[in-house]
Amino acid sequence: MMKKPETNEYPPYYKEYINNVPDGELLQILEDQQKETKKLLKDVSEETAEYQYAPGKWTIKEVIGHITDTERIMCYRLLSIARGEKGMLPGYTDDDYVKRGQFNRFSLSDLLHHQALVRQHTILLLSSLDEEALRQRGKANGSEVTARAIAYIIAGHENHHRRLIKERYLNDTLTNNNQ
């Protein structure tokens, strides 16, 4: 069973994500997350999926695209660090990625399918790594991080955004529809 990373394994700004991952087997948590996100959004209409709770905020489709893009990037970092990469891995600007991703042109179902495929890749990658690989340290976005911490960041990132979808998107649209 993979243990949660120590605070010296990741930059402080990832603490919230890592703390939001429940105790338990990480591979099972990642599998369950995929099901939970799909269940949360299964009855969301395309109109609701393009709802913004405030001007300049992402739509639900854009949030799902962002979660997927971030997991792709984090998986690359995880693989690179687990394999011993010593060079600095680049950061990215999430707003630019979302803008260029044009996620609102896709159906919510297609975006969730993409997310599920990326998650399967993440789980396969993690299941192939041994403890030594997970303890490897590398540099990404200007900071040192372990492969294990990145795995937890992936899970915590999805939990963070799923909570925001519940609180800021689905609650708002339900309230607005009931008025």
Side-chain angles (χ1 to χ4, degrees):
M1 185 163 117
M2 189 184 320
K3 294 180 184 178
K4 277 192 178 183
E6 302 294 326
T7 56
N8 69 351
E9 294 183 49
Y10 56 87
Y13 52 85
Y14 286 126
K15 183 177 181 178
E16 176 194 347
Y17 291 160
I18 291 171
N19 286 345
N20 283 330
V21 178
D23 292 333
E25 176 52 48
L26 186 62
L27 292 176
Q28 186 62 54
I29 290 167
L30 290 166
E31 284 184 30
D32 291 346
Q33 279 183 329
Q34 184 180 347
K35 295 171 193 167
E36 291 165 14
T37 299
K38 188 174 181 179
K39 181 180 176 184
L40 175 67
L41 298 173
K42 72 179 172 67
D43 295 326
V44 170
S45 69
E46 289 298 311
E47 179 183 5
T48 299
E50 293 182 16
Y51 166 75
Q52 293 172 285
Y53 68 87
K57 296 297 182 180
W58 297 338
T59 66
I60 291 173
K61 288 180 177 183
E62 289 170 326
V63 171
I64 297 302
H66 163 70
I67 292 169
T68 306
D69 273 358
T70 299
E71 188 159 335
R72 286 178 171 123
I73 291 164
M74 290 296 185
C75 256
Y76 172 71
R77 291 176 180 176
L78 183 118
L79 172 66
S80 298
I81 291 169
R83 298 290 195 253
E85 178 62 53
K86 298 301 178 201
M88 178 66 69
L89 299 169
Y92 74 105
T93 305
D94 54 4
D95 283 324
D96 290 345
Y97 275 57
V98 168
K99 182 178 178 181
R100 290 193 176 126
Q102 301 178 31
F103 299 116
N104 288 325
R105 67 188 168 109
F106 298 100
S107 71
L108 182 57
S109 176
D110 284 348
L111 291 167
L112 289 169
H113 181 69
H114 288 200
Q115 184 189 20
L117 293 173
V118 170
R119 178 52 57 92
Q120 287 175 341
H121 171 264
T122 300
I123 291 168
L124 287 170
L125 174 61
L126 280 170
S127 66
S128 75
L129 299 175
D130 63 16
E131 189 62 34
E132 182 181 346
L134 291 167
R135 285 193 312 262
Q136 290 294 311
R137 291 181 178 269
K139 296 177 186 141
N141 196 26
S143 298
E144 188 176 84
V145 65
T146 64
R148 174 173 66 169
I150 293 172
Y152 273 85
I153 291 164
I154 290 168
H157 182 255
E158 183 167 344
N159 282 345
H160 167 78
H161 281 291
R162 192 171 51 244
R163 181 179 50 78
L164 292 178
I165 288 170
K166 288 177 190 174
E167 293 173 1
R168 297 187 182 165
Y169 293 86
L170 299 182
N171 279 342
D172 281 356
T173 57
L174 293 174
T175 303
N176 290 337
N177 289 338
N178 292 332
Q179 291 180 357

